PDB file of all heavy atoms in Angstrom:
ATOM      1  N   PRO A 297     -28.609  40.188  20.212  1.00  0.00           N
ATOM      2  CA  PRO A 297     -29.781  39.321  19.937  1.00  0.00           C
ATOM      3  C   PRO A 297     -29.511  38.412  18.737  1.00  0.00           C
ATOM      4  O   PRO A 297     -29.845  38.757  17.603  1.00  0.00           O
ATOM      5  CB  PRO A 297     -30.909  40.309  19.664  1.00  0.00           C
ATOM      6  CG  PRO A 297     -30.234  41.565  19.238  1.00  0.00           C
ATOM      7  CD  PRO A 297     -28.887  41.593  19.872  1.00  0.00           C
ATOM      8  N   THR A 298     -28.895  37.252  18.974  1.00  0.00           N
ATOM      9  CA  THR A 298     -28.523  36.341  17.906  1.00  0.00           C
ATOM     10  C   THR A 298     -29.442  35.133  17.919  1.00  0.00           C
ATOM     11  O   THR A 298     -29.783  34.621  18.981  1.00  0.00           O
ATOM     12  CB  THR A 298     -27.080  35.855  18.106  1.00  0.00           C
ATOM     13  OG1 THR A 298     -26.265  36.988  18.398  1.00  0.00           O
ATOM     14  CG2 THR A 298     -26.565  35.130  16.885  1.00  0.00           C
ATOM     15  N   HIS A 299     -29.826  34.698  16.721  1.00  0.00           N
ATOM     16  CA  HIS A 299     -30.635  33.478  16.642  1.00  0.00           C
ATOM     17  C   HIS A 299     -29.741  32.277  16.863  1.00  0.00           C
ATOM     18  O   HIS A 299     -28.743  32.116  16.181  1.00  0.00           O
ATOM     19  CB  HIS A 299     -31.285  33.356  15.255  1.00  0.00           C
ATOM     20  CG  HIS A 299     -32.403  34.318  15.076  1.00  0.00           C
ATOM     21  ND1 HIS A 299     -33.717  34.020  15.376  1.00  0.00           N
ATOM     22  CD2 HIS A 299     -32.424  35.607  14.658  1.00  0.00           C
ATOM     23  CE1 HIS A 299     -34.480  35.063  15.136  1.00  0.00           C
ATOM     24  NE2 HIS A 299     -33.709  36.052  14.684  1.00  0.00           N
ATOM     25  N   VAL A 300     -30.102  31.444  17.833  1.00  0.00           N
ATOM     26  CA  VAL A 300     -29.312  30.230  18.077  1.00  0.00           C
ATOM     27  C   VAL A 300     -30.256  29.060  18.264  1.00  0.00           C
ATOM     28  O   VAL A 300     -31.457  29.230  18.428  1.00  0.00           O
ATOM     29  CB  VAL A 300     -28.406  30.390  19.324  1.00  0.00           C
ATOM     30  CG1 VAL A 300     -27.315  31.417  19.064  1.00  0.00           C
ATOM     31  CG2 VAL A 300     -29.232  30.763  20.537  1.00  0.00           C
ATOM     32  N   ILE A 301     -29.668  27.881  18.238  1.00  0.00           N
ATOM     33  CA  ILE A 301     -30.474  26.661  18.353  1.00  0.00           C
ATOM     34  C   ILE A 301     -29.882  25.796  19.444  1.00  0.00           C
ATOM     35  O   ILE A 301     -28.650  25.697  19.579  1.00  0.00           O
ATOM     36  CB  ILE A 301     -30.472  25.881  17.032  1.00  0.00           C
ATOM     37  CG1 ILE A 301     -30.979  26.764  15.882  1.00  0.00           C
ATOM     38  CG2 ILE A 301     -31.328  24.613  17.138  1.00  0.00           C
ATOM     39  CD1 ILE A 301     -30.836  26.133  14.516  1.00  0.00           C
ATOM     40  N   SER A 302     -30.732  25.174  20.182  1.00  0.00           N
ATOM     41  CA  SER A 302     -30.280  24.196  21.170  1.00  0.00           C
ATOM     42  C   SER A 302     -30.840  22.838  20.782  1.00  0.00           C
ATOM     43  O   SER A 302     -31.961  22.722  20.307  1.00  0.00           O
ATOM     44  CB  SER A 302     -30.803  24.590  22.561  1.00  0.00           C
ATOM     45  OG  SER A 302     -30.754  23.467  23.417  1.00  0.00           O
ATOM     46  N   LYS A 303     -29.995  21.821  20.953  1.00  0.00           N
ATOM     47  CA  LYS A 303     -30.456  20.469  20.650  1.00  0.00           C
ATOM     48  C   LYS A 303     -30.486  19.692  21.944  1.00  0.00           C
ATOM     49  O   LYS A 303     -29.436  19.394  22.529  1.00  0.00           O
ATOM     50  CB  LYS A 303     -29.488  19.836  19.657  1.00  0.00           C
ATOM     51  CG  LYS A 303     -29.946  18.500  19.104  1.00  0.00           C
ATOM     52  CD  LYS A 303     -28.954  18.102  18.017  1.00  0.00           C
ATOM     53  CE  LYS A 303     -29.241  16.745  17.436  1.00  0.00           C
ATOM     54  NZ  LYS A 303     -28.190  16.386  16.481  1.00  0.00           N
ATOM     55  N   LEU A 304     -31.689  19.415  22.427  1.00  0.00           N
ATOM     56  CA  LEU A 304     -31.830  18.747  23.710  1.00  0.00           C
ATOM     57  C   LEU A 304     -32.180  17.294  23.495  1.00  0.00           C
ATOM     58  O   LEU A 304     -33.149  16.997  22.807  1.00  0.00           O
ATOM     59  CB  LEU A 304     -32.975  19.398  24.516  1.00  0.00           C
ATOM     60  CG  LEU A 304     -32.825  20.851  24.923  1.00  0.00           C
ATOM     61  CD1 LEU A 304     -34.040  21.286  25.735  1.00  0.00           C
ATOM     62  CD2 LEU A 304     -31.559  21.026  25.742  1.00  0.00           C
ATOM     63  N   PRO A 305     -31.390  16.413  24.077  1.00  0.00           N
ATOM     64  CA  PRO A 305     -31.815  14.998  24.006  1.00  0.00           C
ATOM     65  C   PRO A 305     -33.181  14.873  24.686  1.00  0.00           C
ATOM     66  O   PRO A 305     -33.468  15.584  25.647  1.00  0.00           O
ATOM     67  CB  PRO A 305     -30.735  14.270  24.824  1.00  0.00           C
ATOM     68  CG  PRO A 305     -29.580  15.207  24.878  1.00  0.00           C
ATOM     69  CD  PRO A 305     -30.132  16.589  24.809  1.00  0.00           C
ATOM     70  N   THR A 306     -34.000  14.008  24.163  1.00  0.00           N
ATOM     71  CA  THR A 306     -35.362  13.919  24.660  1.00  0.00           C
ATOM     72  C   THR A 306     -35.387  13.532  26.135  1.00  0.00           C
ATOM     73  O   THR A 306     -36.310  13.871  26.863  1.00  0.00           O
ATOM     74  CB  THR A 306     -36.162  12.901  23.845  1.00  0.00           C
ATOM     75  OG1 THR A 306     -35.849  13.111  22.472  1.00  0.00           O
ATOM     76  CG2 THR A 306     -37.648  13.077  24.030  1.00  0.00           C
ATOM     77  N   ASN A 307     -34.341  12.854  26.605  1.00  0.00           N
ATOM     78  CA  ASN A 307     -34.374  12.435  28.010  1.00  0.00           C
ATOM     79  C   ASN A 307     -34.096  13.590  28.971  1.00  0.00           C
ATOM     80  O   ASN A 307     -34.176  13.424  30.171  1.00  0.00           O
ATOM     81  CB  ASN A 307     -33.408  11.270  28.247  1.00  0.00           C
ATOM     82  CG  ASN A 307     -32.011  11.606  27.818  1.00  0.00           C
ATOM     83  OD1 ASN A 307     -31.707  12.777  27.543  1.00  0.00           O
ATOM     84  ND2 ASN A 307     -31.146  10.603  27.785  1.00  0.00           N
ATOM     85  N   ILE A 308     -33.741  14.773  28.473  1.00  0.00           N
ATOM     86  CA  ILE A 308     -33.681  15.950  29.350  1.00  0.00           C
ATOM     87  C   ILE A 308     -35.071  16.561  29.366  1.00  0.00           C
ATOM     88  O   ILE A 308     -35.570  17.056  28.352  1.00  0.00           O
ATOM     89  CB  ILE A 308     -32.664  16.976  28.822  1.00  0.00           C
ATOM     90  CG1 ILE A 308     -31.264  16.376  28.895  1.00  0.00           C
ATOM     91  CG2 ILE A 308     -32.752  18.269  29.622  1.00  0.00           C
ATOM     92  CD1 ILE A 308     -30.187  17.279  28.356  1.00  0.00           C
ATOM     93  N   ARG A 309     -35.723  16.460  30.480  1.00  0.00           N
ATOM     94  CA  ARG A 309     -37.145  16.778  30.485  1.00  0.00           C
ATOM     95  C   ARG A 309     -37.447  18.197  30.965  1.00  0.00           C
ATOM     96  O   ARG A 309     -38.584  18.530  31.251  1.00  0.00           O
ATOM     97  CB  ARG A 309     -37.898  15.771  31.355  1.00  0.00           C
ATOM     98  CG  ARG A 309     -37.579  14.332  30.960  1.00  0.00           C
ATOM     99  CD  ARG A 309     -38.721  13.376  31.177  1.00  0.00           C
ATOM    100  NE  ARG A 309     -38.345  12.023  30.726  1.00  0.00           N
ATOM    101  CZ  ARG A 309     -38.588  11.602  29.516  1.00  0.00           C
ATOM    102  NH1 ARG A 309     -39.163  12.371  28.609  1.00  0.00           N
ATOM    103  NH2 ARG A 309     -38.208  10.376  29.175  1.00  0.00           N
ATOM    104  N   VAL A 310     -36.421  19.055  31.054  1.00  0.00           N
ATOM    105  CA  VAL A 310     -36.651  20.438  31.469  1.00  0.00           C
ATOM    106  C   VAL A 310     -37.686  21.095  30.559  1.00  0.00           C
ATOM    107  O   VAL A 310     -37.645  20.906  29.352  1.00  0.00           O
ATOM    108  CB  VAL A 310     -35.330  21.223  31.372  1.00  0.00           C
ATOM    109  CG1 VAL A 310     -35.559  22.700  31.731  1.00  0.00           C
ATOM    110  CG2 VAL A 310     -34.262  20.613  32.233  1.00  0.00           C
ATOM    111  N   GLU A 311     -38.592  21.833  31.170  1.00  0.00           N
ATOM    112  CA  GLU A 311     -39.626  22.465  30.340  1.00  0.00           C
ATOM    113  C   GLU A 311     -39.104  23.731  29.685  1.00  0.00           C
ATOM    114  O   GLU A 311     -38.570  24.617  30.347  1.00  0.00           O
ATOM    115  CB  GLU A 311     -40.843  22.804  31.209  1.00  0.00           C
ATOM    116  CG  GLU A 311     -41.770  21.637  31.347  1.00  0.00           C
ATOM    117  CD  GLU A 311     -43.231  22.072  31.474  1.00  0.00           C
ATOM    118  OE1 GLU A 311     -43.572  23.215  31.104  1.00  0.00           O
ATOM    119  OE2 GLU A 311     -43.999  21.232  31.942  1.00  0.00           O
ATOM    120  N   VAL A 312     -39.155  23.786  28.436  1.00  0.00           N
ATOM    121  CA  VAL A 312     -38.814  25.023  27.716  1.00  0.00           C
ATOM    122  C   VAL A 312     -39.993  25.352  26.819  1.00  0.00           C
ATOM    123  O   VAL A 312     -40.319  24.581  25.930  1.00  0.00           O
ATOM    124  CB  VAL A 312     -37.513  24.883  26.899  1.00  0.00           C
ATOM    125  CG1 VAL A 312     -36.309  24.990  27.795  1.00  0.00           C
ATOM    126  CG2 VAL A 312     -37.486  23.579  26.143  1.00  0.00           C
ATOM    127  N   ASN A 313     -40.633  26.453  27.092  1.00  0.00           N
ATOM    128  CA  ASN A 313     -41.834  26.793  26.324  1.00  0.00           C
ATOM    129  C   ASN A 313     -41.622  28.056  25.503  1.00  0.00           C
ATOM    130  O   ASN A 313     -40.869  28.952  25.898  1.00  0.00           O
ATOM    131  CB  ASN A 313     -43.016  27.003  27.274  1.00  0.00           C
ATOM    132  CG  ASN A 313     -43.329  25.741  28.047  1.00  0.00           C
ATOM    133  OD1 ASN A 313     -43.328  24.643  27.476  1.00  0.00           O
ATOM    134  ND2 ASN A 313     -43.523  25.890  29.358  1.00  0.00           N
ATOM    135  N   SER A 314     -42.284  28.102  24.403  1.00  0.00           N
ATOM    136  CA  SER A 314     -42.171  29.256  23.517  1.00  0.00           C
ATOM    137  C   SER A 314     -42.534  30.531  24.268  1.00  0.00           C
ATOM    138  O   SER A 314     -43.467  30.528  25.070  1.00  0.00           O
ATOM    139  CB  SER A 314     -43.107  29.108  22.306  1.00  0.00           C
ATOM    140  OG  SER A 314     -42.844  27.914  21.647  1.00  0.00           O
ATOM    141  N   GLY A 315     -41.764  31.578  23.995  1.00  0.00           N
ATOM    142  CA  GLY A 315     -42.040  32.875  24.599  1.00  0.00           C
ATOM    143  C   GLY A 315     -41.368  33.050  25.945  1.00  0.00           C
ATOM    144  O   GLY A 315     -41.203  34.161  26.426  1.00  0.00           O
ATOM    145  N   GLU A 316     -40.917  31.957  26.550  1.00  0.00           N
ATOM    146  CA  GLU A 316     -40.291  32.083  27.868  1.00  0.00           C
ATOM    147  C   GLU A 316     -38.821  32.426  27.753  1.00  0.00           C
ATOM    148  O   GLU A 316     -38.182  32.160  26.747  1.00  0.00           O
ATOM    149  CB  GLU A 316     -40.408  30.751  28.630  1.00  0.00           C
ATOM    150  CG  GLU A 316     -41.785  30.513  29.192  1.00  0.00           C
ATOM    151  CD  GLU A 316     -41.847  29.181  29.936  1.00  0.00           C
ATOM    152  OE1 GLU A 316     -40.774  28.551  30.106  1.00  0.00           O
ATOM    153  OE2 GLU A 316     -42.964  28.796  30.315  1.00  0.00           O
ATOM    154  N   ARG A 317     -38.295  32.987  28.829  1.00  0.00           N
ATOM    155  CA  ARG A 317     -36.870  33.250  28.933  1.00  0.00           C
ATOM    156  C   ARG A 317     -36.285  32.193  29.838  1.00  0.00           C
ATOM    157  O   ARG A 317     -36.885  31.804  30.835  1.00  0.00           O
ATOM    158  CB  ARG A 317     -36.667  34.651  29.516  1.00  0.00           C
ATOM    159  CG  ARG A 317     -35.252  35.107  29.495  1.00  0.00           C
ATOM    160  CD  ARG A 317     -35.125  36.468  30.188  1.00  0.00           C
ATOM    161  NE  ARG A 317     -33.733  36.768  30.419  1.00  0.00           N
ATOM    162  CZ  ARG A 317     -33.011  36.243  31.390  1.00  0.00           C
ATOM    163  NH1 ARG A 317     -33.558  35.399  32.249  1.00  0.00           N
ATOM    164  NH2 ARG A 317     -31.730  36.588  31.539  1.00  0.00           N
ATOM    165  N   HIS A 318     -35.124  31.648  29.449  1.00  0.00           N
ATOM    166  CA  HIS A 318     -34.540  30.572  30.227  1.00  0.00           C
ATOM    167  C   HIS A 318     -33.036  30.709  30.184  1.00  0.00           C
ATOM    168  O   HIS A 318     -32.486  31.037  29.148  1.00  0.00           O
ATOM    169  CB  HIS A 318     -34.955  29.219  29.607  1.00  0.00           C
ATOM    170  CG  HIS A 318     -34.854  28.071  30.531  1.00  0.00           C
ATOM    171  ND1 HIS A 318     -35.954  27.362  30.965  1.00  0.00           N
ATOM    172  CD2 HIS A 318     -33.779  27.492  31.127  1.00  0.00           C
ATOM    173  CE1 HIS A 318     -35.556  26.410  31.788  1.00  0.00           C
ATOM    174  NE2 HIS A 318     -34.225  26.468  31.889  1.00  0.00           N
ATOM    175  N   ASP A 319     -32.380  30.471  31.322  1.00  0.00           N
ATOM    176  CA  ASP A 319     -30.922  30.533  31.310  1.00  0.00           C
ATOM    177  C   ASP A 319     -30.343  29.250  30.755  1.00  0.00           C
ATOM    178  O   ASP A 319     -30.589  28.165  31.295  1.00  0.00           O
ATOM    179  CB  ASP A 319     -30.383  30.774  32.722  1.00  0.00           C
ATOM    180  CG  ASP A 319     -30.402  32.256  33.037  1.00  0.00           C
ATOM    181  OD1 ASP A 319     -30.485  33.055  32.063  1.00  0.00           O
ATOM    182  OD2 ASP A 319     -30.357  32.607  34.221  1.00  0.00           O
ATOM    183  N   PHE A 320     -29.626  29.360  29.659  1.00  0.00           N
ATOM    184  CA  PHE A 320     -28.908  28.228  29.076  1.00  0.00           C
ATOM    185  C   PHE A 320     -27.434  28.434  29.326  1.00  0.00           C
ATOM    186  O   PHE A 320     -26.991  29.530  29.694  1.00  0.00           O
ATOM    187  CB  PHE A 320     -29.157  28.153  27.554  1.00  0.00           C
ATOM    188  CG  PHE A 320     -30.388  27.357  27.185  1.00  0.00           C
ATOM    189  CD1 PHE A 320     -31.627  27.670  27.744  1.00  0.00           C
ATOM    190  CD2 PHE A 320     -30.307  26.316  26.277  1.00  0.00           C
ATOM    191  CE1 PHE A 320     -32.747  26.947  27.391  1.00  0.00           C
ATOM    192  CE2 PHE A 320     -31.424  25.589  25.926  1.00  0.00           C
ATOM    193  CZ  PHE A 320     -32.665  25.900  26.484  1.00  0.00           C
ATOM    194  N   ALA A 321     -26.646  27.408  29.151  1.00  0.00           N
ATOM    195  CA  ALA A 321     -25.208  27.564  29.356  1.00  0.00           C
ATOM    196  C   ALA A 321     -24.428  26.642  28.442  1.00  0.00           C
ATOM    197  O   ALA A 321     -24.958  25.661  27.929  1.00  0.00           O
ATOM    198  CB  ALA A 321     -24.859  27.263  30.806  1.00  0.00           C
ATOM    199  N   VAL A 322     -23.165  26.989  28.222  1.00  0.00           N
ATOM    200  CA  VAL A 322     -22.255  26.144  27.433  1.00  0.00           C
ATOM    201  C   VAL A 322     -21.034  25.878  28.278  1.00  0.00           C
ATOM    202  O   VAL A 322     -20.525  26.784  28.955  1.00  0.00           O
ATOM    203  CB  VAL A 322     -21.836  26.858  26.132  1.00  0.00           C
ATOM    204  CG1 VAL A 322     -20.883  25.979  25.339  1.00  0.00           C
ATOM    205  CG2 VAL A 322     -23.041  27.249  25.316  1.00  0.00           C
TER     206      VAL A 322
END
Side-chain angles (χ1 to χ4, degrees):
Chain A
T298 313
H299 287 269
V300 292
I301 303 172
S302 161
K303 188 173 176 184
L304 297 181
T306 317
N307 56 12
I308 295 178
R309 308 211 178 268
V310 177
E311 275 212 19
V312 282
N313 298 317
S314 305
E316 283 180 7
R317 188 184 168 282
H318 201 114
D319 276 342
F320 272 54
V322 179

